[in-house]
PDB file of all heavy atoms in Angstrom:
ATOM      1  N   GLY A1219      26.542  -2.842  -4.121  1.00 90.00           N
ATOM      2  CA  GLY A1219      25.440  -1.921  -3.821  1.00 90.00           C
ATOM      3  C   GLY A1219      24.150  -2.347  -4.484  1.00 90.00           C
ATOM      4  O   GLY A1219      23.070  -2.250  -3.882  1.00 90.00           O
ATOM      5  N   LEU A1220      24.243  -2.840  -5.714  1.00 92.00           N
ATOM      6  CA  LEU A1220      23.046  -3.292  -6.433  1.00 92.00           C
ATOM      7  C   LEU A1220      22.413  -4.497  -5.741  1.00 92.00           C
ATOM      8  O   LEU A1220      21.203  -4.514  -5.486  1.00 92.00           O
ATOM      9  CB  LEU A1220      23.427  -3.645  -7.874  1.00 92.00           C
ATOM     10  CG  LEU A1220      22.296  -3.961  -8.856  1.00 92.00           C
ATOM     11  CD1 LEU A1220      22.762  -3.691 -10.291  1.00 92.00           C
ATOM     12  CD2 LEU A1220      21.826  -5.407  -8.756  1.00 92.00           C
ATOM     13  N   ALA A1221      23.236  -5.499  -5.415  1.00 92.00           N
ATOM     14  CA  ALA A1221      22.701  -6.709  -4.791  1.00 92.00           C
ATOM     15  C   ALA A1221      22.121  -6.417  -3.406  1.00 92.00           C
ATOM     16  O   ALA A1221      21.001  -6.840  -3.078  1.00 92.00           O
ATOM     17  CB  ALA A1221      23.800  -7.762  -4.688  1.00 92.00           C
ATOM     18  N   ALA A1222      22.888  -5.685  -2.602  1.00 92.00           N
ATOM     19  CA  ALA A1222      22.421  -5.384  -1.245  1.00 92.00           C
ATOM     20  C   ALA A1222      21.176  -4.511  -1.276  1.00 92.00           C
ATOM     21  O   ALA A1222      20.228  -4.718  -0.510  1.00 92.00           O
ATOM     22  CB  ALA A1222      23.532  -4.688  -0.459  1.00 92.00           C
ATOM     23  N   GLY A1223      21.177  -3.529  -2.167  1.00 90.00           N
ATOM     24  CA  GLY A1223      20.036  -2.625  -2.253  1.00 90.00           C
ATOM     25  C   GLY A1223      18.772  -3.326  -2.716  1.00 90.00           C
ATOM     26  O   GLY A1223      17.687  -3.092  -2.179  1.00 90.00           O
ATOM     27  N   ALA A1224      18.901  -4.208  -3.708  1.00 91.00           N
ATOM     28  CA  ALA A1224      17.729  -4.924  -4.211  1.00 91.00           C
ATOM     29  C   ALA A1224      17.124  -5.806  -3.124  1.00 91.00           C
ATOM     30  O   ALA A1224      15.899  -5.843  -2.942  1.00 91.00           O
ATOM     31  CB  ALA A1224      18.116  -5.774  -5.424  1.00 91.00           C
ATOM     32  N   MET A1225      17.979  -6.517  -2.395  1.00 91.00           N
ATOM     33  CA  MET A1225      17.472  -7.380  -1.317  1.00 91.00           C
ATOM     34  C   MET A1225      16.856  -6.546  -0.192  1.00 91.00           C
ATOM     35  O   MET A1225      15.828  -6.911   0.381  1.00 91.00           O
ATOM     36  CB  MET A1225      18.609  -8.237  -0.766  1.00 91.00           C
ATOM     37  CG  MET A1225      19.148  -9.267  -1.751  1.00 91.00           C
ATOM     38  SD  MET A1225      17.866 -10.418  -2.357  1.00 91.00           S
ATOM     39  CE  MET A1225      17.456  -9.709  -3.965  1.00 91.00           C
ATOM     40  N   SER A1226      17.502  -5.431   0.106  1.00 90.00           N
ATOM     41  CA  SER A1226      16.987  -4.562   1.162  1.00 90.00           C
ATOM     42  C   SER A1226      15.631  -3.971   0.792  1.00 90.00           C
ATOM     43  O   SER A1226      14.702  -3.931   1.604  1.00 90.00           O
ATOM     44  CB  SER A1226      17.984  -3.439   1.449  1.00 90.00           C
ATOM     45  OG  SER A1226      17.478  -2.537   2.411  1.00 90.00           O
ATOM     46  N   MET A1227      15.498  -3.527  -0.469  1.00 87.00           N
ATOM     47  CA  MET A1227      14.235  -2.957  -0.911  1.00 87.00           C
ATOM     48  C   MET A1227      13.137  -4.005  -0.904  1.00 87.00           C
ATOM     49  O   MET A1227      12.009  -3.740  -0.469  1.00 87.00           O
ATOM     50  CB  MET A1227      14.388  -2.390  -2.327  1.00 87.00           C
ATOM     51  CG  MET A1227      15.232  -1.131  -2.417  1.00 87.00           C
ATOM     52  SD  MET A1227      14.517   0.282  -1.553  1.00 87.00           S
ATOM     53  CE  MET A1227      13.019   0.521  -2.486  1.00 87.00           C
ATOM     54  N   ALA A1228      13.457  -5.211  -1.367  1.00 89.00           N
ATOM     55  CA  ALA A1228      12.458  -6.276  -1.394  1.00 89.00           C
ATOM     56  C   ALA A1228      12.005  -6.624   0.009  1.00 89.00           C
ATOM     57  O   ALA A1228      10.796  -6.739   0.284  1.00 89.00           O
ATOM     58  CB  ALA A1228      13.018  -7.513  -2.100  1.00 89.00           C
ATOM     59  N   ALA A1229      12.968  -6.789   0.902  1.00 91.00           N
ATOM     60  CA  ALA A1229      12.620  -7.137   2.283  1.00 91.00           C
ATOM     61  C   ALA A1229      11.833  -6.015   2.949  1.00 91.00           C
ATOM     62  O   ALA A1229      10.843  -6.264   3.651  1.00 91.00           O
ATOM     63  CB  ALA A1229      13.890  -7.438   3.075  1.00 91.00           C
ATOM     64  N   GLY A1230      12.274  -4.779   2.734  1.00 88.00           N
ATOM     65  CA  GLY A1230      11.589  -3.647   3.345  1.00 88.00           C
ATOM     66  C   GLY A1230      10.161  -3.500   2.852  1.00 88.00           C
ATOM     67  O   GLY A1230       9.237  -3.262   3.637  1.00 88.00           O
ATOM     68  N   GLU A1231       9.977  -3.627   1.543  1.00 85.00           N
ATOM     69  CA  GLU A1231       8.624  -3.542   0.984  1.00 85.00           C
ATOM     70  C   GLU A1231       7.744  -4.667   1.514  1.00 85.00           C
ATOM     71  O   GLU A1231       6.589  -4.455   1.877  1.00 85.00           O
ATOM     72  CB  GLU A1231       8.675  -3.600  -0.549  1.00 85.00           C
ATOM     73  CG  GLU A1231       9.093  -2.311  -1.206  1.00 85.00           C
ATOM     74  CD  GLU A1231       8.010  -1.238  -1.127  1.00 85.00           C
ATOM     75  OE1 GLU A1231       6.842  -1.570  -0.887  1.00 85.00           O
ATOM     76  OE2 GLU A1231       8.351  -0.054  -1.292  1.00 85.00           O
ATOM     77  N   TYR A1232       8.297  -5.887   1.541  1.00 90.00           N
ATOM     78  CA  TYR A1232       7.492  -7.027   1.985  1.00 90.00           C
ATOM     79  C   TYR A1232       7.063  -6.862   3.439  1.00 90.00           C
ATOM     80  O   TYR A1232       5.896  -7.080   3.784  1.00 90.00           O
ATOM     81  CB  TYR A1232       8.277  -8.327   1.826  1.00 90.00           C
ATOM     82  CG  TYR A1232       7.435  -9.551   2.067  1.00 90.00           C
ATOM     83  CD1 TYR A1232       6.685 -10.114   1.043  1.00 90.00           C
ATOM     84  CD2 TYR A1232       7.360 -10.138   3.332  1.00 90.00           C
ATOM     85  CE1 TYR A1232       5.888 -11.220   1.261  1.00 90.00           C
ATOM     86  CE2 TYR A1232       6.568 -11.245   3.560  1.00 90.00           C
ATOM     87  CZ  TYR A1232       5.835 -11.789   2.516  1.00 90.00           C
ATOM     88  OH  TYR A1232       5.041 -12.872   2.751  1.00 90.00           O
ATOM     89  N   VAL A1233       7.997  -6.458   4.284  1.00 89.00           N
ATOM     90  CA  VAL A1233       7.682  -6.301   5.709  1.00 89.00           C
ATOM     91  C   VAL A1233       6.691  -5.164   5.934  1.00 89.00           C
ATOM     92  O   VAL A1233       5.712  -5.310   6.671  1.00 89.00           O
ATOM     93  CB  VAL A1233       8.974  -6.054   6.521  1.00 89.00           C
ATOM     94  CG1 VAL A1233       8.641  -5.657   7.953  1.00 89.00           C
ATOM     95  CG2 VAL A1233       9.844  -7.306   6.515  1.00 89.00           C
ATOM     96  N   SER A1234       6.921  -4.020   5.293  1.00 85.00           N
ATOM     97  CA  SER A1234       6.053  -2.868   5.530  1.00 85.00           C
ATOM     98  C   SER A1234       4.651  -3.100   4.972  1.00 85.00           C
ATOM     99  O   SER A1234       3.649  -2.776   5.624  1.00 85.00           O
ATOM    100  CB  SER A1234       6.659  -1.602   4.914  1.00 85.00           C
ATOM    101  OG  SER A1234       6.762  -1.727   3.509  1.00 85.00           O
ATOM    102  N   VAL A1235       4.569  -3.674   3.765  1.00 83.00           N
ATOM    103  CA  VAL A1235       3.255  -3.918   3.181  1.00 83.00           C
ATOM    104  C   VAL A1235       2.544  -5.053   3.912  1.00 83.00           C
ATOM    105  O   VAL A1235       1.315  -5.055   4.025  1.00 83.00           O
ATOM    106  CB  VAL A1235       3.377  -4.207   1.668  1.00 83.00           C
ATOM    107  CG1 VAL A1235       2.011  -4.505   1.060  1.00 83.00           C
ATOM    108  CG2 VAL A1235       3.995  -3.010   0.958  1.00 83.00           C
ATOM    109  N   SER A1236       3.305  -6.016   4.430  1.00 88.00           N
ATOM    110  CA  SER A1236       2.696  -7.075   5.239  1.00 88.00           C
ATOM    111  C   SER A1236       2.082  -6.496   6.503  1.00 88.00           C
ATOM    112  O   SER A1236       0.997  -6.927   6.928  1.00 88.00           O
ATOM    113  CB  SER A1236       3.742  -8.131   5.611  1.00 88.00           C
ATOM    114  OG  SER A1236       4.168  -8.852   4.476  1.00 88.00           O
ATOM    115  N   SER A1237       2.750  -5.520   7.104  1.00 87.00           N
ATOM    116  CA  SER A1237       2.189  -4.858   8.288  1.00 87.00           C
ATOM    117  C   SER A1237       0.883  -4.157   7.938  1.00 87.00           C
ATOM    118  O   SER A1237      -0.088  -4.193   8.697  1.00 87.00           O
ATOM    119  CB  SER A1237       3.200  -3.851   8.848  1.00 87.00           C
ATOM    120  OG  SER A1237       4.372  -4.506   9.286  1.00 87.00           O
ATOM    121  N   GLN A1238       0.866  -3.515   6.770  1.00 83.00           N
ATOM    122  CA  GLN A1238      -0.368  -2.870   6.311  1.00 83.00           C
ATOM    123  C   GLN A1238      -1.471  -3.907   6.105  1.00 83.00           C
ATOM    124  O   GLN A1238      -2.626  -3.691   6.502  1.00 83.00           O
ATOM    125  CB  GLN A1238      -0.111  -2.127   5.003  1.00 83.00           C
ATOM    126  CG  GLN A1238      -1.351  -1.459   4.420  1.00 83.00           C
ATOM    127  CD  GLN A1238      -1.089  -0.828   3.064  1.00 83.00           C
ATOM    128  OE1 GLN A1238       0.055  -0.572   2.695  1.00 83.00           O
ATOM    129  NE2 GLN A1238      -2.146  -0.591   2.312  1.00 83.00           N
ATOM    130  N   ALA A1239      -1.114  -5.045   5.487  1.00 84.00           N
ATOM    131  CA  ALA A1239      -2.099  -6.094   5.249  1.00 84.00           C
ATOM    132  C   ALA A1239      -2.624  -6.670   6.560  1.00 84.00           C
ATOM    133  O   ALA A1239      -3.813  -6.979   6.693  1.00 84.00           O
ATOM    134  CB  ALA A1239      -1.481  -7.206   4.394  1.00 84.00           C
ATOM    135  N   ASP A1240      -1.743  -6.810   7.557  1.00 87.00           N
ATOM    136  CA  ASP A1240      -2.169  -7.312   8.868  1.00 87.00           C
ATOM    137  C   ASP A1240      -3.183  -6.367   9.506  1.00 87.00           C
ATOM    138  O   ASP A1240      -4.179  -6.802  10.096  1.00 87.00           O
ATOM    139  CB  ASP A1240      -0.959  -7.468   9.796  1.00 87.00           C
ATOM    140  CG  ASP A1240      -0.052  -8.612   9.375  1.00 87.00           C
ATOM    141  OD1 ASP A1240      -0.503  -9.468   8.592  1.00 87.00           O
ATOM    142  OD2 ASP A1240       1.113  -8.638   9.827  1.00 87.00           O
ATOM    143  N   THR A1241      -2.920  -5.071   9.379  1.00 87.00           N
ATOM    144  CA  THR A1241      -3.841  -4.075   9.929  1.00 87.00           C
ATOM    145  C   THR A1241      -5.191  -4.140   9.232  1.00 87.00           C
ATOM    146  O   THR A1241      -6.245  -4.053   9.865  1.00 87.00           O
ATOM    147  CB  THR A1241      -3.237  -2.665   9.790  1.00 87.00           C
ATOM    148  OG1 THR A1241      -1.984  -2.616  10.480  1.00 87.00           O
ATOM    149  CG2 THR A1241      -4.168  -1.612  10.370  1.00 87.00           C
ATOM    150  N   GLU A1242      -5.160  -4.279   7.909  1.00 85.00           N
ATOM    151  CA  GLU A1242      -6.407  -4.373   7.150  1.00 85.00           C
ATOM    152  C   GLU A1242      -7.211  -5.605   7.570  1.00 85.00           C
ATOM    153  O   GLU A1242      -8.432  -5.523   7.775  1.00 85.00           O
ATOM    154  CB  GLU A1242      -6.096  -4.418   5.648  1.00 85.00           C
ATOM    155  CG  GLU A1242      -5.532  -3.122   5.098  1.00 85.00           C
ATOM    156  CD  GLU A1242      -5.120  -3.239   3.649  1.00 85.00           C
ATOM    157  OE1 GLU A1242      -5.256  -4.358   3.084  1.00 85.00           O
ATOM    158  OE2 GLU A1242      -4.659  -2.242   3.066  1.00 85.00           O
ATOM    159  N   ARG A1243      -6.535  -6.746   7.698  1.00 87.00           N
ATOM    160  CA  ARG A1243      -7.234  -7.972   8.097  1.00 87.00           C
ATOM    161  C   ARG A1243      -7.817  -7.856   9.505  1.00 87.00           C
ATOM    162  O   ARG A1243      -8.917  -8.343   9.774  1.00 87.00           O
ATOM    163  CB  ARG A1243      -6.282  -9.168   8.013  1.00 87.00           C
ATOM    164  CG  ARG A1243      -6.042  -9.662   6.592  1.00 87.00           C
ATOM    165  CD  ARG A1243      -5.347 -11.007   6.594  1.00 87.00           C
ATOM    166  NE  ARG A1243      -3.985 -10.902   7.087  1.00 87.00           N
ATOM    167  CZ  ARG A1243      -2.929 -10.713   6.309  1.00 87.00           C
ATOM    168  NH1 ARG A1243      -3.076 -10.611   4.996  1.00 87.00           N
ATOM    169  NH2 ARG A1243      -1.718 -10.639   6.819  1.00 87.00           N
ATOM    170  N   ALA A1244      -7.063  -7.192  10.400  1.00 90.00           N
ATOM    171  CA  ALA A1244      -7.556  -7.015  11.765  1.00 90.00           C
ATOM    172  C   ALA A1244      -8.814  -6.143  11.782  1.00 90.00           C
ATOM    173  O   ALA A1244      -9.776  -6.432  12.513  1.00 90.00           O
ATOM    174  CB  ALA A1244      -6.470  -6.392  12.641  1.00 90.00           C
ATOM    175  N   ASP A1245      -8.813  -5.092  10.978  1.00 87.00           N
ATOM    176  CA  ASP A1245      -9.994  -4.223  10.905  1.00 87.00           C
ATOM    177  C   ASP A1245     -11.193  -4.972  10.319  1.00 87.00           C
ATOM    178  O   ASP A1245     -12.328  -4.805  10.766  1.00 87.00           O
ATOM    179  CB  ASP A1245      -9.687  -2.979  10.060  1.00 87.00           C
ATOM    180  CG  ASP A1245      -9.181  -1.824  10.907  1.00 87.00           C
ATOM    181  OD1 ASP A1245      -9.345  -1.880  12.138  1.00 87.00           O
ATOM    182  OD2 ASP A1245      -8.621  -0.877  10.331  1.00 87.00           O
ATOM    183  N   ILE A1246     -10.933  -5.776   9.310  1.00 88.00           N
ATOM    184  CA  ILE A1246     -12.023  -6.559   8.709  1.00 88.00           C
ATOM    185  C   ILE A1246     -12.592  -7.538   9.723  1.00 88.00           C
ATOM    186  O   ILE A1246     -13.814  -7.729   9.805  1.00 88.00           O
ATOM    187  CB  ILE A1246     -11.511  -7.298   7.460  1.00 88.00           C
ATOM    188  CG1 ILE A1246     -11.183  -6.282   6.348  1.00 88.00           C
ATOM    189  CG2 ILE A1246     -12.547  -8.304   6.958  1.00 88.00           C
ATOM    190  CD1 ILE A1246     -10.501  -6.890   5.143  1.00 88.00           C
ATOM    191  N   ARG A1247     -11.720  -8.162  10.502  1.00 91.00           N
ATOM    192  CA  ARG A1247     -12.191  -9.094  11.526  1.00 91.00           C
ATOM    193  C   ARG A1247     -13.036  -8.376  12.562  1.00 91.00           C
ATOM    194  O   ARG A1247     -14.079  -8.898  13.009  1.00 91.00           O
ATOM    195  CB  ARG A1247     -10.988  -9.768  12.190  1.00 91.00           C
ATOM    196  CG  ARG A1247     -11.336 -10.740  13.317  1.00 91.00           C
ATOM    197  CD  ARG A1247     -12.266 -11.820  12.846  1.00 91.00           C
ATOM    198  NE  ARG A1247     -12.638 -12.722  13.930  1.00 91.00           N
ATOM    199  CZ  ARG A1247     -13.667 -13.542  13.901  1.00 91.00           C
ATOM    200  NH1 ARG A1247     -14.459 -13.578  12.830  1.00 91.00           N
ATOM    201  NH2 ARG A1247     -13.924 -14.333  14.919  1.00 91.00           N
ATOM    202  N   ARG A1248     -12.641  -7.160  12.951  1.00 90.00           N
ATOM    203  CA  ARG A1248     -13.432  -6.401  13.932  1.00 90.00           C
ATOM    204  C   ARG A1248     -14.813  -6.055  13.367  1.00 90.00           C
ATOM    205  O   ARG A1248     -15.818  -6.087  14.089  1.00 90.00           O
ATOM    206  CB  ARG A1248     -12.682  -5.131  14.341  1.00 90.00           C
ATOM    207  CG  ARG A1248     -11.573  -5.381  15.377  1.00 90.00           C
ATOM    208  CD  ARG A1248     -11.059  -4.077  15.967  1.00 90.00           C
ATOM    209  NE  ARG A1248     -10.264  -3.336  14.995  1.00 90.00           N
ATOM    210  CZ  ARG A1248      -8.951  -3.486  14.860  1.00 90.00           C
ATOM    211  NH1 ARG A1248      -8.296  -4.362  15.605  1.00 90.00           N
ATOM    212  NH2 ARG A1248      -8.275  -2.775  13.975  1.00 90.00           N
TER     213      ARG A1248
END
């Protein structure tokens, strides 16, 4: 549970925050 949860949290945070960063960059470009 510890290993799976840590990897899941890391992946989830990276993907979700990357989506936020993509949105921010797109707005800046506009």
Side-chain angles (χ1 to χ4, degrees):
L1220 188 156
M1225 293 302 100
S1226 177
M1227 289 296 296
E1231 282 288 341
Y1232 189 86
V1233 170
S1234 63
V1235 178
S1236 292
S1237 297
Q1238 178 185 341
D1240 290 343
T1241 301
E1242 292 175 359
R1243 283 192 292 268
D1245 268 345
I1246 292 172
R1247 178 57 182 163
R1248 281 192 288 270

